[in-house]
Amino acid sequence: MTCRTIHPSGAHPLFFLCSQEGRIRNVIDDNERETDFSEDEYEETDKPKRGRRIALIVVALLLLLVVGGAGGVALFVAQALQPVEPSAQEVRITIPQGASSLQIAKLLEEQGLIRSATIFRYYLKLEGQGSRFQAGEYSMTPGMTLDQMIGKLNDGDIVKEEVIRVTIPEGFTVQQIADKLGEDTPWRAETFLQEVDTPSRFQASALTGFPESQDLRHKLEGYLFPETYEFKKGASEQEFIERTLQELDKKLGTLPADWPDKLKQRGLTLHQLLTVASLIEREVVVDEERPLVAGVIYNRLAQKMPLQIDATVQYLFDKPKERLLEKDLQISSPYNTYLNPGLPPGPIASPSLASIQAALYPAETKYLFYVTKKDGSQAHLFAETYEQHKKNIAASKKMTP
C-alpha cells in the first residue's frame, strides 16, 4: 500500500491518504478468502461496494480540501493582521466627516498602511472599535500596528495644521506692520503696502464713508486692528488685511450702543475718531490717562490751538527718532501738528480699543497741556495754563528714575 503525506501551506500533516489501488487490492484479496462466487455473481455483488468505496474516496478528498482551505484561510488572516513592511516615509491620510469603518479601511489599504481592508474591518468588529474614529488629516507610517492606527483614529491625533501667526502690537504704524510681516511671515512687505493703499478692494463696515484724500500717507492706517492673528498656510496679504478690518468691525460692535450718537454730537466721522484714538495711543502708556489726553486734544481743537503732538512728527519717519530736533518740528507736512491746526489727515497708528473708547468718552477737564514725567513712570503732568505748564516742565526735569 502506497501512502503520501499532505502539508497544507507548510503546516503540520493533516491527512495520510492511501492510493485507491492498494485499498481495492486488499478488499479483493479478503473477498477471495471468504467466498467462492462465480465471476458473474462476483461482479453483481461488488458493484454497490465499489460505489461506496468511490464515495468514501470523494468525501475524503473533499474533507482534505476543506481542512486544507481552512488552514490557508487561517494563515491568510494571520498575515493580514501583521503590520506592513516598516518605512520612515510619512503617509498623510484624510478621513472625511462621517466616513464608515469600511471606507476608512479601504483608505488605509489604498495608502499601503494595512494588508487587507476586509480583515481590518472584521478586526474592528471583533475588538468593538470603529465607532469613535474622528475626521481629519492623519500622519501615519508603514509598519504601525493595527492597534496603533486605531488609537490614533480614536484620539483624533490629527496633523497640526501649519499656520501663519502674527501679532500686531497696539500703536504700530502700517510701515512697522509691513516690516514685521516681511521678517516674521512668508508675506512680502511691498505687496502688503500696495494692498493697504487700495481700500476699494476691501469690504468692511468701518470703511463706509472712507475719505478720498491724497494727503493720507497710507490709506488704511489706523484701520488694521492690533491683535494676534492666525492664518492657514498659503493665505495672502489681502486676506490678512481683510481679517484685521473685520476685527475692527467686531471691536466697534462691542462699544456702548450710543457711540454713533457721541460721534454726531462732536461732529466727528469714524475716520476722525480713529485719528484721535491713534494720537492717544502714541502719546499715552498709563491707561488711566487716556481719557485725560483725549480731553486735552478736544479742548485744544475747540480753541483752535495747534495740537503740537510730537507723535505726529515722528510719524513722518519710517523709524521713530529717540529725540526730535527743532528742525524736525519745521518739516512741511499735513501731519505736522506744530505747523497745522486741527487733526492730521488720518490716523498715525493702529489704536487699541481702550484708546478708541477714550476718544469717544474723554475726561471733562480744562487741561490744555501735558508733559511727560522724567521719573520713568511714563505718566504725565497736566496743566490748564501755559504758565502752569512751564512749571510742570521744570518740575519734570528735576525728577529722577
Side-chain angles (χ1 to χ4, degrees):
M1 180 172 65
T2 59
C3 297
R4 55 192 176 90
T5 305
I6 298 176
H7 297 264
S9 304
H12 293 294
L14 296 176
F15 293 100
F16 292 93
L17 183 62
C18 299
S19 71
Q20 180 177 342
E21 180 184 355
R23 292 174 61 101
I24 295 174
R25 187 184 305 114
N26 289 341
V27 173
I28 293 173
D29 291 343
D30 291 341
N31 287 339
E32 287 178 349
R33 287 193 294 271
E34 293 175 2
T35 184
D36 192 18
F37 291 129
S38 66
E39 187 175 342
D40 292 339
E41 291 174 329
Y42 171 76
E43 289 180 358
E44 292 177 1
T45 306
D46 194 50
K47 283 182 180 179
K49 292 181 179 179
R50 184 180 298 173
R52 286 195 297 271
R53 286 196 295 271
I54 293 173
L56 288 173
I57 292 171
V58 171
V59 172
L61 289 172
L62 290 174
L63 286 173
L64 176 62
L65 291 173
V66 171
V67 175
V73 170
L75 181 60
F76 170 75
V77 172
Q79 290 177 337
L81 292 173
Q82 295 302 310
V84 300
E85 288 298 319
S87 171
Q89 183 64 44
E90 178 191 52
V91 176
R92 292 288 182 93
I93 178 171
T94 300
I95 306 300
Q97 193 73 36
S100 66
S101 59
L102 177 59
Q103 290 174 307
I104 295 172
K106 287 181 177 179
L107 286 173
L108 293 173
E109 183 180 28
E110 289 169 2
Q111 294 297 323
L113 293 167
I114 61 175
R115 298 179 184 274
S116 169
T118 301
I119 298 302
F120 181 74
R121 188 186 179 199
Y122 281 111
Y123 183 75
L124 292 177
K125 289 185 177 181
L126 181 65
E127 296 293 322
Q129 297 286 351
S131 61
R132 296 189 296 114
F133 288 171
Q134 300 182 44
E137 185 180 22
Y138 291 83
S139 172
M140 299 186 183
T141 53
M144 293 176 65
T145 66
L146 300 188
D147 289 336
Q148 287 174 330
M149 284 185 276
I150 290 170
K152 254 184 178 291
L153 294 168
N154 279 337
D155 295 340
D157 186 13
I158 61 175
V159 175
K160 298 297 184 292
E161 192 170 24
E162 293 186 54
V163 298
I164 301 172
R165 180 182 288 106
V166 58
T167 298
I168 305 304
E170 297 170 347
F172 254 39
T173 65
V174 159
Q175 185 60 54
Q176 288 175 314
I177 295 172
D179 294 339
K180 186 175 181 62
L181 295 182
E183 294 172 0
D184 301 343
T185 75
W187 296 322
R188 297 178 67 248
E190 296 80 4
T191 303
F192 166 75
L193 290 172
Q194 290 173 1
E195 295 285 351
V196 160
D197 288 330
T198 316
S200 59
R201 292 172 60 87
F202 303 97
Q203 302 296 322
S205 298
L207 296 180
T208 303
F210 189 84
E212 293 292 335
S213 172
Q214 298 302 316
D215 291 335
L216 295 174
R217 190 178 184 207
H218 289 297
K219 298 292 181 65
L220 291 180
E221 185 77 80
Y223 288 80
L224 312 181
F225 194 82
E227 185 63 270
T228 296
Y229 298 96
E230 285 189 356
F231 299 85
K232 292 182 180 179
K233 187 177 181 181
S236 66
E237 293 87 347
Q238 184 178 356
E239 288 177 273
F240 165 71
I241 296 171
E242 188 71 50
R243 178 84 171 276
T244 63
L245 293 173
Q246 291 173 358
E247 190 65 23
L248 175 60
D249 282 347
K250 180 180 176 181
K251 288 297 190 293
L252 291 175
T254 66
L255 293 172
D258 69 340
W259 76 268
D261 296 329
K262 291 292 183 182
L263 275 185
K264 290 180 180 179
Q265 289 173 12
R266 293 192 174 277
L268 296 176
T269 64
L270 176 60
H271 184 76
Q272 291 170 324
L273 175 71
L274 293 176
T275 301
V276 173
S278 71
L279 300 179
I280 297 169
E281 191 66 46
R282 293 302 296 243
E283 289 284 288
V284 180
V285 174
V286 179
D287 283 343
E288 292 77 9
E289 291 186 349
R290 294 181 195 273
L292 291 173
V293 171
V296 171
I297 292 173
Y298 288 126
N299 289 341
R300 292 179 75 94
L301 288 174
Q303 296 190 27
K304 301 187 182 308
M305 296 174 62
L307 294 179
Q308 295 183 326
I309 293 177
D310 288 356
T312 62
V313 179
Q314 289 280 17
Y315 180 65
L316 301 177
F317 303 101
D318 288 342
K319 293 184 179 180
K321 289 187 171 185
E322 290 186 10
R323 180 172 174 271
L324 290 175
L325 303 176
E326 183 63 31
K327 65 176 184 179
D328 296 326
L329 303 182
Q330 302 305 314
I331 295 176
S332 178
S333 168
Y335 283 92
N336 188 341
T337 55
Y338 277 86
L339 300 180
N340 303 289
L343 292 171
I348 61 171
S350 293
S352 63
L353 184 61
S355 290
I356 294 174
Q357 288 174 320
L360 274 169
Y361 306 98
E364 297 295 332
T365 70
K366 294 182 180 181
Y367 293 145
L368 292 171
F369 306 92
Y370 59 86
V371 63
T372 304
K373 294 180 181 179
K374 303 297 183 182
D375 59 359
S377 66
Q378 297 183 301
H380 294 87
L381 296 172
F382 293 86
E384 295 181 10
T385 66
Y386 183 63
E387 290 300 318
Q388 187 180 356
H389 179 54
K390 288 194 293 184
K391 292 180 181 179
N392 285 343
I393 293 174
S396 175
K397 289 180 179 179
K398 295 180 181 179
M399 296 179 180
T400 56

